[in-house]
Amino acid sequence: MAGENGALRQGGGTLDANVARHLLVTMWRIRAFEERLEPLKRSSTVHGLTHLSIGQEAVAAGVCTQLGNDEIVYSNHRAHGHALAKGVDMGRLLAELMGRADGCCRGLGGSMHVVDVAHGFFGATGVVGGNLPFAVGAAFASRLRGDSAVVVVFFGDGAAQAGIFAESVNLASLWQVPVVFVCENNGFAEFTPRSAHTRVERVSDLAAPFHVTAATVDGNDVVEVHRAFGEVLASASAGKGPFLLECLTHRRSGHYVGDPGGYRVASDDESWRDKDPIGRLVRRGATEGWFGEDAARAIEAAARDEVEAAVAFASASPFPDLTLPADLTYAR
Amino acid sequence: MAHVIPYIAAIQEAIREEMERDERVLYFGQNMATSPDDPFLKQFGPARVRVTPISETAEIGMATGAAMAGFRPVVELYMAEFLLVAADQVVNEGSRFHFMSKGAVTVPMVLVAGYGFTYGWAGQHTGSIYGMFMGVPGLRVAMPSTPADAKGLMTTAIRDDNPVLFFHHYLLALTEGEVPDGEYAVPFGVADVKRSGSDVTVVATGNTVHSALAAAETLAERGVSAEVIDPRTIAPLDVDTILGSVARTGHLVVVDQATRHASAAAVIAAEVAQKGFSSLQAPISLVTALDSSIAYAEPVESFVLPDEHKIVAAVGETLGLAPLPG
């Protein structure tokens, strides 16, 4: 990371056309899924508290598409994008959100607690910051096993003000474990802007005192996220310690579906619409010759078709068995 | 064969033996392994035996992550109250994952904490706070009263695939007793009848087991036969053994060092009131700490705690005996 702590990197990297295409596919799958989710939630087809990440897809795509199934990801309450990008099946994810037996957690976890061990998605936690030390422990386990499997944990800028953040980053640094803390700084901690929480503008500024290398990138530029995370991943895999990557982005929807959003500034939302990560990649793809507009539209259409298939799959799934609480509260 | 060692050494013996048997067992904690002569550090090395910063939340969360990734960490917390610093990680994170993941994830982790240091440690280091965890789904709660149970329950705790809170009583730390040699596991959810009797059932946990046994001795001299039962784990709780005893004695006194309204005793009483009501010949009696903080001054400290005399008096009242002299 060249020690550029806190430096906002401008997009400048380039990509293989196949990788670029895969990133667009990933972002469209997340976007189409969550756009469909909103009416499903409003009609109570989706049962519980639901947090959308519309506008933030570049971070999930740029990070998770570079990880294998043996590289663990921990997510937070805004988990759908991370899960889809990490390989969780869309139909099973939607069935989980609808509380159905074919959900990836048989309907016991829901939107905030998605787990899919086969894809290295060890789970999402619903309490802000609660997942951070899990990643330190999993990365310590990598070191004990003697492999170099990197662990990634996503957190929001709101979590950085919690004590658990400092404790976890300190321990990761002290023990030099291969963990990457990926901050999605979307400017809001739940319902209030970052300025109401702290005078520290950049989360990456909080890493240097712990001797953790950190960088801030434009989190709405998927090419840049992909490049920056690729560097960090290589360094962490090589045993060069923990890293923190802050991705500046913007949550285009409320904190949760149904959030009245009175705290949001309309002009900000407008300006961020131009920075939408999908639109930017489509424009960039045409310029770079990665894919034409028709190809981009076909990718969108395929994603929306996949979502409809997921809706059909999940809707056909029964509700879970009432024996599950007695069977699964404890491991036997 | 058996050997005689202190309660606290029996806990250490179980951890050491399990670390020898299973290299996935790790041992973390504050202020441990600080000397190169530390026996655990010498035997198992710094990869498996590690000192942690004063960061209970990260310690327990890190152990949870390591457990999900296939290891079996034992975290030394020293004081039960320090669990409260990390309450989210103890109550609401690792304990939930097996259920929320449809059983795909297990968290085999032991959190070791001492409690009840009622020897001048005053308001913040003397609590008997196990009761608040016995209702947390996914958590196991063990609380041995003897060196043998301490070893056997720790062995089981390390082998269990769930997060286990292992509460040892500080006033028992140096109490010596016979401990079986070699591999020894006490199953969870199986109460131990520490003394058989026919007139009254006395259920007690931790240090109060010894108060109850002393009370039973006094009562025997007065012709009252008390049965003393130690549940040994309060989650799972062996209600059946208690109900079976009450069916024979018809009388129940539950002793607990916890404050009355956060005690395991209150839960035990509720179970028996519902499931064993027809056996009861008198109201259930609870002998607990008062709903008060523990005082520093010795006479006030003693005043709020259960003891042998309060147990004898409660048994006398339950059986409708004339008040017994001191």
Side-chain angles (χ1 to χ4, degrees):
Chain A
M1 297 303 295
E4 295 177 49
N5 284 3
L8 176 60
R9 292 166 176 271
Q10 298 301 320
T14 190
L15 273 185
D16 176 88
N18 287 328
V19 174
R21 190 183 157 81
H22 184 51
L23 290 171
L24 184 62
V25 167
T26 304
M27 290 198 294
W28 261 125
R29 290 178 71 237
I30 299 169
R31 176 71 55 89
F33 180 81
E34 293 205 319
E35 285 183 349
R36 187 71 174 86
L37 212 50
E38 185 150 356
L40 289 173
K41 170 59 198 166
R42 290 187 188 277
S43 67
S44 294
T45 308
V46 162
H47 179 52
L49 185 58
T50 306
H51 304 86
L52 303 182
S53 63
I54 290 172
Q56 303 183 187
E57 297 89 345
V59 184
V63 170
C64 293
T65 55
Q66 301 191 61
L67 299 171
N69 288 341
D70 57 347
E71 287 165 314
I72 290 174
V73 164
Y74 278 107
S75 177
N76 56 11
H77 56 284
R78 207 175 300 286
H80 312 147
H82 308 145
L84 289 170
K86 192 70 172 50
V88 177
D89 178 81
M90 190 185 285
R92 294 203 176 277
L93 180 63
L94 184 57
E96 185 60 32
L97 271 54
M98 287 167 59
R100 304 303 177 96
D102 292 300
C104 49
C105 299
R106 296 172 77 176
L108 297 177
S111 168
M112 288 187 286
H113 308 299
V114 176
V115 177
D116 182 355
V117 171
H119 289 98
F121 198 74
F122 262 62
T125 61
V127 177
V128 169
N131 56 356
L132 292 165
F134 296 175
V136 179
F140 179 60
S142 294
R143 254 195 51 188
L144 283 174
R145 284 193 307 263
D147 62 40
S148 56
V150 172
V151 179
V152 173
V153 57
F154 289 100
F155 66 106
D157 48 299
Q161 280 70 252
I164 196 170
F165 171 81
E167 290 190 18
S168 301
V169 173
N170 180 60
L171 196 57
S173 170
L174 185 68
W175 290 3
Q176 286 293 293
V177 296
V179 60
V180 182
F181 299 96
V182 177
C183 177
E184 294 173 289
N185 185 344
N186 64 18
F188 288 106
E190 298 180 353
F191 312 100
T192 42
R194 181 159 179 78
S195 59
H197 289 248
T198 178
R199 295 179 64 179
V200 179
E201 189 181 345
R202 297 277 162 77
V203 173
S204 59
D205 288 345
L206 299 170
F210 296 104
H211 296 230
V212 169
T213 305
T216 300
V217 298
D218 179 348
N220 274 30
D221 179 349
V222 72
V223 179
E224 179 60 2
V225 173
H226 186 273
R227 184 200 59 73
F229 181 72
E231 284 182 22
V232 162
L233 180 61
S235 296
S237 295
K240 295 182 182 170
F243 292 86
L244 189 151
L245 182 65
E246 178 184 25
C247 303
L248 300 182
T249 182
H250 185 72
R251 153 158 71 76
R252 287 181 55 186
S253 50
H255 173 48
Y256 61 93
V257 177
D259 171 8
Y263 55 92
R264 301 176 69 92
V265 179
S267 59
D268 284 357
D269 286 345
E270 198 57 43
S271 74
W272 279 95
R273 196 158 297 143
D274 298 336
K275 299 178 197 162
D276 183 87
I278 292 181
R280 282 172 73 178
L281 181 60
V282 169
R283 292 194 294 273
R284 178 92 183 265
T287 311
E288 301 272 359
W290 293 332
F291 35 72
E293 283 187 22
D294 287 348
R297 271 195 291 274
I299 287 170
E300 176 187 351
R304 295 201 189 278
D305 287 348
E306 186 186 359
V307 173
E308 290 314 311
V311 172
F313 170 81
S315 302
S317 177
F319 287 107
D321 213 329
L322 299 181
T323 58
L324 293 181
D327 291 345
L328 290 174
T329 298
Y330 290 92
R332 292 173 206 283
Chain B
M1 290 294 289
H3 54 294
V4 175
I5 52 172
Y7 176 88
I8 198 78
I11 298 169
Q12 299 282 304
E13 183 170 294
I15 297 171
R16 180 170 51 73
E17 290 183 7
E18 286 305 293
M19 290 186 79
E20 287 168 352
R21 285 186 200 105
D22 185 348
E23 64 180 19
R24 297 171 302 170
V25 180
L26 313 174
Y27 196 16
F28 305 119
Q30 297 167 18
N31 299 309
M32 62 186 290
T34 48
S35 152
D37 294 329
D38 177 271
F40 277 89
L41 190 59
K42 279 170 84 169
Q43 185 174 356
F44 301 107
R48 295 175 65 196
V49 179
R50 298 180 79 86
V51 63
T52 55
I54 302 176
S55 304
E56 286 82 4
T57 302
E59 278 173 78
I60 296 171
M62 176 275 296
T64 302
M68 290 191 210
F71 288 87
R72 308 185 84 83
V74 177
V75 186
E76 176 57 72
L77 272 305
Y78 295 97
M79 307 297 299
E81 279 85 351
F82 300 165
L83 291 165
L84 304 179
V85 178
D88 175 55
Q89 290 294 328
V90 176
V91 171
N92 208 26
E93 299 286 352
S95 63
R96 310 285 186 207
F97 261 79
H98 184 266
F99 182 83
M100 295 193 306
S101 70
K102 65 168 180 186
V105 173
T106 57
V107 183
M109 166 176 77
V110 184
L111 306 180
V112 187
Y115 74 96
F117 209 157
T118 46
Y119 200 73
W121 280 57
Q124 292 186 319
H125 295 76
T126 52
S128 298
I129 59 170
Y130 36 81
M132 65 174 72
F133 301 105
M134 71 184 291
V136 177
L139 280 184
R140 307 250 195 235
V141 183
M143 36 189 312
S145 65
T146 67
D149 285 347
K151 176 175 179 178
L153 291 172
M154 178 55 84
T155 301
T156 302
I158 293 171
R159 294 178 183 182
D160 198 285
D161 278 338
N162 299 282
V164 178
L165 301 191
F166 186 96
F167 286 103
H168 57 88
H169 197 295
Y170 264 117
L171 298 188
L172 293 173
L174 302 179
T175 305
E176 295 197 330
E178 275 204 351
V179 171
D181 293 342
E183 188 170 354
Y184 180 60
V186 169
F188 283 0
V190 179
D192 190 34
V193 179
K194 297 292 187 192
R195 178 185 174 118
S196 296
S198 55
D199 295 330
V200 59
T201 301
V202 181
V203 178
T205 52
N207 196 35
T208 65
V209 171
H210 302 281
S211 308
L213 288 169
E217 197 62 39
T218 303
L219 289 161
E221 291 165 11
R222 296 168 189 182
V224 175
S225 170
E227 179 148 295
V228 178
I229 296 177
D230 175 3
R232 301 195 289 194
T233 58
I234 55 172
L237 179 65
D238 179 0
V239 178
D240 290 343
T241 294
I242 298 167
L243 287 172
S245 176
V246 172
R248 286 186 288 102
T249 65
H251 298 87
L252 177 63
V253 174
V254 195
V255 189
D256 196 328
Q257 186 170 318
T259 48
R260 184 181 175 97
H261 286 178
S263 63
V267 177
I268 292 167
E271 291 283 359
V272 174
Q274 181 170 3
K275 297 173 185 166
F277 188 73
S278 60
S279 304
L280 290 167
Q281 297 166 31
I284 298 165
S285 178
L286 301 192
V287 183
T288 67
L290 303 183
D291 282 319
S292 158
S293 289
I294 303 294
Y296 174 74
E298 200 282 331
V300 189
E301 180 183 65
S302 300
F303 173 74
V304 302
L305 293 171
D307 62 20
E308 174 192 342
H309 305 294
K310 292 173 185 171
I311 298 167
V312 169
V315 169
E317 194 175 325
T318 299
L319 293 175
L321 305 177
L324 301 166

